[in-house]
Amino acid sequence: MPQTIGIPKETYAGEKRVATAPDTVEKLIKLGFSVTVESGAGDGASFFDDAFTNAGAKVVSSAAELWSASDIVFKVREPEMREVALMKAGQTLISFIWPAQNPDLMKALAERKVTVLAMDCVPRLLSRAQKMDALTSMAGIGGYRAVIEAANAFGRYFNGQITAAGKIPPAKVFIAGAGVAGLAAIGTAAGLGAIVRANDTRAEVADQVKSLGGEFVKVEYEEEGSGGGGYAKVMSEGFQKAQREMYAKQAKDVDIIITTALIPGKPAPKLITAEMVASMKPGSVIVDMAAERGGNCELTEADKAVVKHGVTIIGYTDLASRLAKQSSTLYATNLFRLTEELCKAKDGQIVVNMEDDAIRGFTVIKDGEITWPAPPLKLPAPPAPKAAIAPVPVKEKSVVAKVFGALTLPIVAVALFVLIGLYAPPAFIGHFTVFVLAVFVGYMVVWNVTPALHTPLMSVTNAISSIITIGALIQIAPQVAPGIARPDELIRWIAIVGIALTSINMFGGFAVTRRMLMMFRK
């Protein structure tokens, strides 16, 4: 008998997301499950009851009815205690749990003899688990929304402009932390025209920052900052001191600061002090994306936008929820990919295989037994370094040998041209001269073109090269020059085919060139 997946309405104040979408319901049904949705669960994300009904789900009127009828429950936020009381033994809950921050919740869930899979514990180092990584999905949306909130609170344009009333300088944005959320914020702010700077303890993300249009600001202190699971680690006091000095300098110069720093299982590190806030220009904005875990700014107030020292400090904890339809769609996809892993037989029954590293990683409670934290992943050992090969000593060439080597090619070329000039027929000399000049001019034209345009250049060159169709036209012409025999039928038909092919080459080449050049236009 297929299991029933239940989608309750989120009870957290202000939460608009829902754990599935109508399109995903259809996919879950194809896996063999039946789906039940609490009435109004998707209203905040513009997924209304009739859309779920049309997708094949059953809509029930109350939370009690839904929890009672469901074998598996999909949620966004961790359940409240009143929801835990509705759970039954053997049920499976899949949602964000944050086990390190919620020990009482973990204990209560274990007492209900249920199985719990925490979406915040996905082993991100496993490549096949990335399709289930809801943290990344939500962080990307949060980073985008953080910039939008900053733009809303900021009193000027992000991009610089020159108007009749005067020149408007671009906004300067500093982003602390270049993880998924930080990179999304960098791309969004740069796209709006701001001058973007960013910092992260992990030096390897510098290239990613630059690729999105930002400038990586390095802390003048050498220390490796990569932690486990794709997160940053707690840095030494020496590094933190140097980092605070750099942040203090940036705070005085920039207009907007967006902080994203989080360390799993620990309060958010304090990066922006009250003194730094006081040093910022009046009208500046701070968006603290770590507000839910204590905040990266000392003056942040969770779920509020406050003004301190003339600076607006935004501590909203529902940034992803403020783009509810988009975030619900992505989260629903993450849950569907997880369900595919749990139900490989496509028979409407999930199997929580504790031997599977990916599934074991985010299974925090199994049949009432707390299994969190998961054991460390057994990653394959890096390949052994190859033995160094001693370099073969290169004998230094003499000056005479270097001069002779440099002159060999020009001497051969001159000799070849002299032989051609002495013995080749006059008609050939004319054609050969045109050929040499064409090669030289073509080389210089291509050499001076920006490498990014080489592909469209080659396509238009390909089209122009179809001038060879003239030869085919001559072959099928009704009149030929005096003294030249008419071609036989085989040559005539070959010429016709040649014209057809070169026509495709010609018009296709120009069409491809046009489409490629459109890619370079804004």
Side-chain angles (χ1 to χ4, degrees):
M1 182 177 178
Q3 292 180 313
T4 299
I5 296 175
I7 313 296
K9 186 176 182 178
E10 295 296 321
T11 58
Y12 188 87
E15 181 57 70
K16 297 179 181 179
R17 290 173 292 177
V18 64
T20 197
D23 290 345
T24 310
V25 167
E26 297 177 356
K27 297 176 183 178
L28 292 171
I29 292 174
K30 289 180 181 180
L31 286 180
F33 298 95
S34 59
V35 181
T36 302
V37 180
E38 182 182 352
S39 180
D43 288 357
S46 300
F47 296 138
F48 301 107
D49 291 349
D50 56 349
F52 286 114
T53 302
N54 294 336
K58 177 183 177 183
V59 177
V60 297
S61 58
S62 67
E65 185 179 357
L66 180 128
W67 285 89
S68 174
S70 303
D71 303 297
I72 307 160
V73 177
F74 288 174
K75 270 184 59 60
V76 180
R77 296 260 185 179
E78 60 268 31
E80 298 181 357
M81 288 301 178
R82 55 178 169 166
E83 293 177 298
V84 175
L86 297 174
M87 299 187 72
K88 57 187 179 182
Q91 210 166 33
T92 299
L93 170 66
I94 306 177
S95 74
F96 284 100
I97 299 295
W98 307 106
Q101 289 85 1
N102 295 304
D104 293 339
L105 175 62
M106 290 285 289
K107 182 179 178 182
L109 289 168
E111 290 174 352
R112 304 299 293 184
K113 303 297 181 183
V114 298
T115 296
V116 180
L117 279 66
M119 295 302 292
D120 48 278
C121 295
V122 172
R124 305 169 88 178
L125 292 180
L126 293 178
S127 57
R128 68 186 185 90
Q130 291 175 4
K131 61 186 178 183
M132 304 176 273
D133 187 2
L135 277 176
T136 295
S137 300
M138 299 302 103
I141 293 175
Y144 171 87
R145 184 68 191 199
V147 176
I148 302 303
E149 294 293 340
N152 182 56
F154 190 49
R156 292 196 284 108
Y157 292 127
F158 262 47
N159 62 326
Q161 295 190 16
I162 299 176
T163 70
K167 182 178 180 181
I168 302 173
K172 296 179 182 179
V173 181
F174 178 72
I175 297 171
V180 175
L183 292 173
I186 292 167
T188 306
L192 290 174
I195 297 173
V196 185
R197 304 167 188 162
N199 168 260
D200 196 280
T201 58
R202 297 160 293 185
E204 64 268 18
V205 304
D207 290 339
Q208 299 177 42
V209 171
K210 294 175 183 176
S211 69
L212 290 170
E215 174 192 351
F216 187 79
V217 183
K218 191 174 183 297
V219 177
E220 296 302 325
Y221 192 97
E222 295 299 329
E223 183 176 349
E224 174 56 42
S226 297
Y231 296 92
K233 71 174 185 179
V234 179
M235 306 300 286
S236 68
E237 180 56 38
F239 182 92
Q240 292 181 35
K241 180 181 178 182
Q243 186 182 53
R244 284 192 294 269
E245 292 174 354
M246 183 270 290
Y247 283 164
K249 182 179 178 181
Q250 292 296 326
K252 294 177 182 179
D253 184 49
V254 301
D255 304 297
I256 295 168
I257 295 177
I258 298 174
T259 65
T260 69
L262 284 172
I263 298 174
K266 297 185 179 182
K270 299 299 181 185
L271 305 178
I272 308 299
T273 64
E275 291 77 14
M276 294 180 195
V277 175
S279 71
M280 296 181 71
K281 292 173 282 190
S284 298
V285 179
I286 296 175
V287 181
D288 192 341
M289 294 187 64
E292 192 169 5
R293 302 297 168 206
N296 295 137
C297 176
E298 288 183 349
L299 302 181
T300 296
E301 296 183 23
D303 296 311
K304 294 181 181 180
V306 297
V307 178
K308 302 285 182 72
H309 303 292
V311 177
T312 302
I313 305 172
I314 299 173
Y316 299 148
T317 62
D318 61 346
L319 291 173
S321 181
R322 289 171 181 252
L323 289 171
K325 188 166 188 176
Q326 183 66 74
S327 54
S328 297
T329 300
L330 293 181
Y331 185 61
T333 301
N334 294 140
L335 289 176
F336 171 70
R337 296 304 180 190
L338 169 59
T339 308
E340 283 185 318
E341 291 293 318
L342 297 173
C343 180
K344 294 183 177 179
K346 298 183 180 180
D347 58 356
Q349 298 282 335
I350 65 169
V351 177
V352 181
N353 180 11
M354 299 296 278
E355 300 299 320
D356 186 314
D357 286 342
I359 295 173
R360 173 65 186 89
F362 52 77
T363 303
V364 296
I365 299 176
K366 180 70 166 67
D367 298 326
E369 179 184 351
I370 295 178
T371 58
W372 181 87
L377 291 174
K378 297 178 181 178
L379 298 175
K386 295 182 179 180
I389 301 175
V392 179
V394 180
K395 187 177 180 180
E396 184 69 21
K397 293 183 178 180
S398 64
V399 176
V400 175
K402 290 180 180 179
V403 172
F404 180 77
L407 294 178
T408 299
L409 185 59
I411 291 173
V412 171
V414 170
L416 180 62
F417 284 130
V418 170
L419 290 174
I420 292 174
L422 291 175
Y423 299 103
F428 177 81
I429 295 297
H431 291 305
F432 183 72
T433 303
V434 172
F435 171 74
V436 172
L437 291 174
V439 170
F440 176 75
V441 172
Y443 173 79
M444 295 304 297
V445 168
V446 174
W447 182 261
N448 290 294
V449 171
T450 303
L453 292 174
H454 279 178
T455 301
L457 176 65
M458 289 303 101
S459 61
V460 74
T461 304
N462 190 50
I464 295 172
S465 69
S466 297
I467 196 70
I468 59 175
T469 191
I470 294 176
L473 289 171
I474 292 174
Q475 291 296 323
I476 64 172
Q479 300 295 329
V480 294
I484 301 178
R486 296 178 61 85
D488 58 26
E489 289 301 316
L490 176 62
I491 295 177
R492 188 188 304 276
W493 283 107
I494 292 175
I496 292 173
V497 172
I499 292 173
L501 293 177
T502 51
S503 298
I504 296 172
N505 189 54
M506 184 185 303
F507 294 107
F510 284 117
V512 170
T513 301
R514 181 177 179 276
R515 294 188 64 178
M516 287 184 175
L517 291 177
M518 289 294 292
M519 296 169 60
F520 294 89
R521 298 175 183 172
K522 294 185 177 179

